[in-house]
Amino acid sequence: MVSGGRILIGMLGLDQHEVGAVTVARLLRDAGFEVVYTGRFNLPPVIVKTAGEESVDVIGLSCHSWEYLHYTDELLAGLAAAGLAIPVVLGGSVITAADRATLLAKGVAAAFGPGALPEDIIATMRRLVAAGVAPPP
């Protein structure tokens, strides 16, 4: 099977609600993506380092605690400092419509809150992979 792209899936900080991350990882795997699963307890520098080493097309973070609000700026700044223009997608039950707008304004490529449909997540990942990685800022 040809990979539909490489997606890093993980969680930030002390968030340990792993069911959503595992579910999305399986969903993407079954849709033909190659998933690099980093699991729990990741800090932004580790995600940046892993994303670069694994040459992923998209970073997908499962968010079920509020830490993503704290770590998103550090993650985006770390990616820019490393010269990695990898789209970041956040998803989770705690992401409100207001948080989604804030995240998109910060430069997150997409954000999914509660009730996100699997086909929308897959379509977004395919669109981001097809768009390719932008040149370093």
Side-chain angles (χ1 to χ4, degrees), residues 90-112:
L90 278 74
S93 62
V94 297
I95 297 178
T96 65
D99 290 343
R100 180 179 183 276
T102 299
L103 292 168
L104 295 177
K106 289 177 183 264
V108 168
F112 295 97

Side-chain angles (χ1 to χ4, degrees), residues 74-93:
E74 183 180 350
L75 175 62
L76 295 174
L79 289 167
L84 299 171
I86 301 171
V88 175
V89 176
L90 278 74
S93 62

Side-chain angles (χ1 to χ4, degrees), residues 39-117:
R40 301 177 284 175
F41 309 125
N42 297 289
L43 293 176
V46 171
I47 292 173
V48 169
K49 182 176 184 286
T50 304
E53 289 174 353
E54 295 287 342
S55 299
V56 299
D57 298 300
V58 178
I59 296 170
L61 298 173
S62 178
C63 307
H64 296 279
S65 75
W66 301 105
E67 292 177 272
Y68 69 93
L69 294 171
H70 173 74
Y71 286 123
T72 297
D73 290 337
E74 183 180 350
L75 175 62
L76 295 174
L79 289 167
L84 299 171
I86 301 171
V88 175
V89 176
L90 278 74
S93 62
V94 297
I95 297 178
T96 65
D99 290 343
R100 180 179 183 276
T102 299
L103 292 168
L104 295 177
K106 289 177 183 264
V108 168
F112 295 97
L117 299 175

Side-chain angles (χ1 to χ4, degrees), residues 6-68:
R6 291 175 61 87
I7 313 293
L8 180 150
I9 296 291
M11 295 174 297
L12 283 168
L14 296 176
D15 187 349
Q16 55 185 315
H17 301 92
E18 198 168 26
V19 173
V22 170
T23 301
V24 170
R26 289 180 179 164
L27 172 77
L28 295 173
R29 179 202 61 199
D30 292 348
F33 293 94
E34 188 175 340
V35 175
V36 177
Y37 189 76
T38 62
R40 301 177 284 175
F41 309 125
N42 297 289
L43 293 176
V46 171
I47 292 173
V48 169
K49 182 176 184 286
T50 304
E53 289 174 353
E54 295 287 342
S55 299
V56 299
D57 298 300
V58 178
I59 296 170
L61 298 173
S62 178
C63 307
H64 296 279
S65 75
W66 301 105
E67 292 177 272
Y68 69 93

